[in-house]
Amino acid sequence: MHFDKIVKYTAIILFSTIATHCTTMKKADLIVFNGKIYTVDSSFSIASAMAVSDGKIVAIGSDNAILNSYFSSKKIDLKGKFVYPGFIDPHSHFTGYAEYLATADLTGAKSYTEMVSRLKEHAEKYPSEWIIGRGWDQNLWKDKKMPTNEELNKAFPNKPAFLFRVDGHAALVNDAALQTAGITNTSHIEGGEIPVANGKPTGILLDNAIELVSEHIPPVAKEIREKLVKIAEQNCFSVGLTTVTDAGIDYQTLKFLESEFSENKLSIRIYAMLTHTKENIDSVIKKGPFHTSNLYVSAIKLFADGALGSRGAKLQEPYSDMPNTTGIWTTSEKELNETCQLAYQTGFQVNTHCIGDAACHLVLTTYGRYLKGKNDRRWRIEHAQVVAPDDFSLFGKYSIIPSIQTTHATSDMGWAGERLGSRIKYAYAYKDLLEQNGWLPNGSDFPVEDINPLYGYYAGVARKSPTHPSGTPFQPENAIDKTAALKAMTIWAAKANFMDKYVGSLEVGKFADFVILPTDLIESFSDTIPKVKILATVVGGKVVFDKL
Ligand SMILES: [Zn+2]
């Protein structure tokens, strides 16, 4: 009897211990601990541990608080490493970048000859119907003159060749491509130019003229496209991006992305801006914004003007280095107004590409007529590169978001002054723009710039080229501070994408999208930041890139 009592008593104690354990310790899918976690919440608080379940953050705090409340079969000991919310690129071209991977990379080519030899090398590796290249910039060549297509014709006499300039607002094509598109010395198009010399087109196409040829390029087959977006996604994860933007896609691309997500072929999050085509308007925009956990659709993308490098940006006064032009309008005022009206009614954002001060002025004042005063519609000016001094305050007055790319400043700093003269003082003025609303998003516009968000972080703070950090800073008075630069690629980027309820900071209830870095971006800022390698990237609690 005595023995039975002991057994019974022990059983009761054991049972109650297990019961107590179960009520206080909760199961999590993943616990990370022993690190410095920048939560980027509203008080910019620091934590050391985090518990994740069902893809979302369920608790965040000190090691003691988390490890005494949660248990998990999957734990990551951070060993003092640094955690940030997953990086967000609020202005990039994700599917464009994927296809870009299949085109010859002409970025940084120091001469026409180098460009042609890179094309030949690429053409040997990748069989294709067309020679496609991207990224040339005549500003890097000796004479800095816009090229003509003679050398290109010699290299590729029969195969059409189409070469995008670095800014995407000009293209160089060979005669075979011109013939395919039926372009002659008398061809014209609204919102674009087809320069002619010696009685024939030079092969250069500006802005809307580009489409006359690009529409003849055969579409990439679906299986190839799927492979390319997978590679693009993995490249993004490797630099810590967990959300990217597709700034201006057509209906077919939207459908492609929807099918990739529904078949679980992609796990990155995408904020897609739609072009204002009839198909997008009738099939999507008129029904209002929507989102899934991965795909967020709430914006219409417009282009007011071209780019500064190719002198397509619309300026109020002529270009300082070409006094007979002020640039090119690429969307009519009528279309701009109709789109604003539609967006206002359907609850969509309007995100308009504006580089020149005339473009910024027109779009800011047009937005203002609909928005009237302070609001939370988050309509955006993409780039906001050259802003007239009196127009800065319009951003604050109408709560219009300047969507900036700090690497554009450091990429353009060598020649932008020639285009703008004294106006350069009001160009790439990111600190002045930040002051208008107290927040702004910073993206890369990849593939125009490198996909690495740390390049943008560094360029915003140091105002120096991420690839040549030993250079002189460009207008350092317009640098943004480290905290602002980190927010601009996390919580403010999420806000600009209407995704801040779900991502952008590490808080309970949000998706567990985070990155692990070996470096304290805030406390140890130096010229080595652009070289920092990501240790791990996690999307929805799942490790998608692992170099830990
Ligand atoms: Zn863009």
Side-chain angles (χ1 to χ4, degrees), residues 129-140:
E129 279 179 66
W130 281 54
I131 303 290
I132 315 278
R134 185 164 189 158
W136 60 271
D137 182 357
Q138 86 288 358
N139 287 306
L140 304 175

Side-chain angles (χ1 to χ4, degrees), residues 20-246:
T20 320
H21 186 81
C22 287
T23 49
T24 53
M25 292 290 278
K26 284 172 258 174
K27 189 180 178 301
D29 297 336
L30 170 70
I31 293 173
V32 295
F33 66 102
N34 189 25
K36 183 173 181 183
I37 302 177
Y38 280 93
T39 66
V40 194
D41 62 6
S42 57
S43 51
F44 208 69
S45 63
I46 308 289
S48 62
M50 185 163 61
V52 173
S53 268
D54 295 327
K56 290 188 175 162
I57 299 164
V58 288
I60 184 159
S62 66
D63 285 352
N64 275 342
I66 302 300
L67 295 172
N68 290 335
S69 313
Y70 289 88
F71 67 97
S72 176
S73 58
K74 193 159 190 253
K75 283 188 189 169
I76 299 175
D77 180 351
L78 294 165
K79 296 179 183 149
K81 302 286 190 318
F82 305 89
V83 172
Y84 307 87
F87 300 145
I88 297 172
D89 196 324
H91 183 125
S92 57
H93 299 269
F94 179 70
T95 47
Y97 166 66
E99 280 170 32
Y100 159 89
L101 293 172
T103 65
D105 184 7
L106 307 174
T107 326
K110 299 263 181 324
S111 64
Y112 200 132
T113 320
E114 185 184 335
M115 178 171 84
V116 171
S117 69
R118 284 200 205 177
L119 285 168
K120 283 183 170 166
E121 222 172 273
H122 193 270
E124 275 167 27
K125 275 195 221 156
Y126 304 94
S128 65
E129 279 179 66
W130 281 54
I131 303 290
I132 315 278
R134 185 164 189 158
W136 60 271
D137 182 357
Q138 86 288 358
N139 287 306
L140 304 175
W141 305 349
K142 216 173 172 187
D143 60 4
K144 297 190 181 188
K145 270 193 203 146
M146 267 293 186
T148 59
N149 68 4
E150 278 142 43
E151 295 302 314
L152 196 60
N153 290 334
K154 275 184 213 154
F156 304 102
N158 306 315
K159 222 178 201 189
F162 178 92
L163 315 177
F164 256 124
R165 195 183 176 277
V166 65
D167 59 8
H169 289 271
L172 176 66
V173 302
N174 65 357
D175 284 351
L178 288 171
Q179 277 154 21
T180 307
I183 293 177
T184 66
N185 57 357
T186 56
S187 302
H188 284 287
I189 183 164
E190 187 126 351
E193 275 176 38
I194 306 161
V196 171
N198 305 321
K200 72 180 274 289
T202 63
I204 287 289
L205 306 168
L206 296 176
D207 288 299
N208 289 354
I210 295 170
E211 216 180 294
L212 296 176
V213 173
S214 66
E215 68 186 9
H216 293 273
I217 300 173
V220 185
K222 193 182 178 212
E223 314 81 72
I224 296 176
R225 205 178 193 197
E226 284 188 323
K227 280 184 195 146
L228 291 171
V229 292
K230 268 321 268 184
I231 299 168
E233 179 188 54
Q234 202 51 45
N235 289 355
C236 290
F237 290 154
S238 76
V239 294
L241 289 167
T242 53
T243 295
V244 291
T245 293
D246 219 336

Side-chain angles (χ1 to χ4, degrees), residues 340-479:
C340 287
Q341 177 86 44
L342 174 72
Y344 198 83
Q345 284 165 354
T346 55
F348 262 76
Q349 293 169 277
V350 189
N351 300 352
T352 310
H353 163 116
C354 300
I355 303 262
D357 53 6
C360 287
H361 180 79
L362 175 73
V363 176
L364 284 165
T365 48
T366 306
Y367 280 5
R369 278 204 297 280
Y370 294 88
L371 300 171
K372 297 193 170 68
K374 298 261 184 226
N375 65 87
D376 192 33
R377 288 183 174 257
R378 306 183 200 176
W379 286 14
R380 300 168 35 167
I381 301 274
E382 302 302 319
H383 314 303
Q385 248 172 46
V386 192
V387 179
D390 291 345
D391 287 346
F392 279 87
S393 63
L394 297 177
F395 286 94
K397 188 175 176 190
Y398 301 119
S399 311
I400 295 166
I401 304 163
S403 166
I404 63 162
Q405 294 74 32
T406 48
T407 43
H408 283 356
T410 54
S411 292
D412 301 356
M413 63 186 177
W415 51 263
E418 290 165 25
R419 301 278 189 281
L420 297 170
S422 60
R423 288 167 291 192
I424 190 75
K425 198 165 169 274
Y426 308 104
Y428 312 93
Y430 302 138
K431 185 164 181 256
D432 293 341
L433 287 171
L434 169 59
E435 280 165 6
Q436 304 313 315
N437 291 303
W439 68 278
L440 51 67
N442 181 23
S444 70
D445 205 5
F446 74 67
V448 176
E449 303 281 353
D450 197 280
I451 63 167
N452 190 344
L454 292 180
Y455 280 23
Y457 175 74
Y458 175 79
V461 176
R463 299 281 288 191
K464 292 193 287 184
S465 161
T467 47
H468 299 96
S470 55
T472 330
F474 169 68
Q475 301 184 343
E477 64 279 12
N478 255 306

